C-alpha cells in the first residue's frame, strides 16, 4: 500500500525509493509515520523549509510532538531523494 503523495524527486529514481517498492504509511497520521523498509536518511520539514527532525537508517519517524498540519518528508539515499507531503491529524 502506498499512501503518500509524491511531490518531486531529484536524479533518477532508484528502485529502492520507488513507490512500487516502498510504502510510507499511514497518511494522514496521528503519531508515527512508518516505512516498509529502513531509509538511509529521512528529513521532516515544515512547508516553509524549516528542518524539524532528521534520522538515519530508520523505518519510522515520530510526529507525536507536532501540531496538526501538513509537513514535507524527504527520503534520501546516496544518489537521489524523494519528497512526500505528510498530513498530521
Amino acid at each position: 500500500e502506498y499512501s503518500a503523495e509524491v511531490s518531486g524527486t531529484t536524479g533518477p529514481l532508484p528502485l529502492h525509493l520507488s513507490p512500487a517498492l516502498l510504502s510510507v504509511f499511514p497518511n494522514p497520521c496521528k503519531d508515527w509515520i512508518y516505512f516498509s523498509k529502513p531509509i538511509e536518511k529521512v528529513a521532516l520539514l515544515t512547508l516553509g523549509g524549516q528542518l524539524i527532525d532528521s534520522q538515519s537508517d530508520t523505518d519510522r519517524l515520530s510526529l507525536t510532538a507536532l501540531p496538526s498540519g501538513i509537513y514535507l518528508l524527504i527520503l534520501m539515499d546516496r544518489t537521489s531523494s524523494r519528497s512526500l507531503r505528510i498530513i498530521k491529524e
Side-chain angles (χ1 to χ4, degrees), residues 44-88:
L44 183 67
L45 295 87
T46 65
L47 290 180
Q50 180 182 4
L51 180 65
I52 298 169
D53 191 11
S54 66
Q55 302 286 325
S56 297
D57 299 316
T58 186
D59 63 355
R60 72 191 84 185
L61 188 67
S62 175
L63 280 69
T64 304
L66 298 176
S68 298
I70 300 174
Y71 296 90
L72 187 61
L73 185 68
I74 310 290
L75 310 175
M76 295 169 268
D77 69 8
R78 290 180 205 124
T79 61
S80 64
S81 66
R82 177 173 150 204
S83 60
L84 311 161
R85 288 185 188 206
I86 300 297
I87 299 169
K88 164 75 162 50

